[in-house]
Amino acid sequence: MKDKYEVNKYFGIPVTTNNSGDYVLKADDHGDVKIHTWRTGKHTKGKFKQPGQMLLTENNLMVMIVASEKMVFKDRHSEVPLQRFTSEFANEELVQQGIKILNS
């Protein structure tokens, strides 16, 4: 099938910046920080390099990637596609916080 492309699933946490311009994990209305998932799409820009990299969703939400895994092409519609990978990375402390949340 010529229109097939590699699909990966990304586990991430939305982030915002504090007054110093550093990334911080974004909590929901209940004060909880939650893992969400996205996938690469046919028109996703950029390349994934490593956990801690930022991605931009189709709703322009900045997200720190915590983990990734391969996804079967036929299952791709179960996840929302991301817009693009950025060249920005979170600091190691924030990445470790995210991994701890993922594993809990």
Side-chain angles (χ1 to χ4, degrees):
M1 186 179 193
K2 70 175 186 162
D3 289 333
K4 268 192 171 182
Y5 52 91
E6 186 176 315
V7 180
N8 290 303
K9 181 176 183 177
Y10 298 94
F11 299 85
I13 301 172
V15 295
T16 187
T17 52
N18 62 15
N19 292 340
S20 301
D22 298 322
Y23 288 113
V24 293
L25 301 178
K26 187 175 182 181
D28 64 14
D29 295 338
H30 303 290
D32 298 325
V33 175
K34 295 183 180 170
I35 299 285
H36 300 276
T37 56
W38 289 268
R39 68 166 172 91
T40 46
K42 189 173 188 175
H43 303 288
T44 298
K45 305 278 189 262
K47 298 282 183 208
F48 173 68
K49 295 182 175 93
Q50 66 185 42
Q53 184 175 2
M54 298 294 170
L55 68 81
L56 196 61
T57 69
E58 291 189 334
N59 294 328
N60 293 319
L61 178 66
M62 191 68 83
V63 174
M64 177 185 70
I65 301 169
V66 179
S68 69
E69 65 183 31
K70 295 253 186 231
M71 190 173 190
V72 179
F73 185 78
K74 69 179 179 68
D75 295 337
R76 70 192 185 282
H77 293 295
S78 65
E79 300 296 336
V80 177
L82 62 98
Q83 183 184 101
R84 67 182 174 93
F85 295 102
T86 72
S87 57
E88 298 177 58
F89 290 84
N91 64 43
E92 187 60 29
E93 182 181 328
L94 196 63
V95 175
Q96 291 307 318
Q97 280 181 339
I99 290 171
K100 187 175 180 180
I101 293 168
L102 176 68
N103 293 329
S104 62

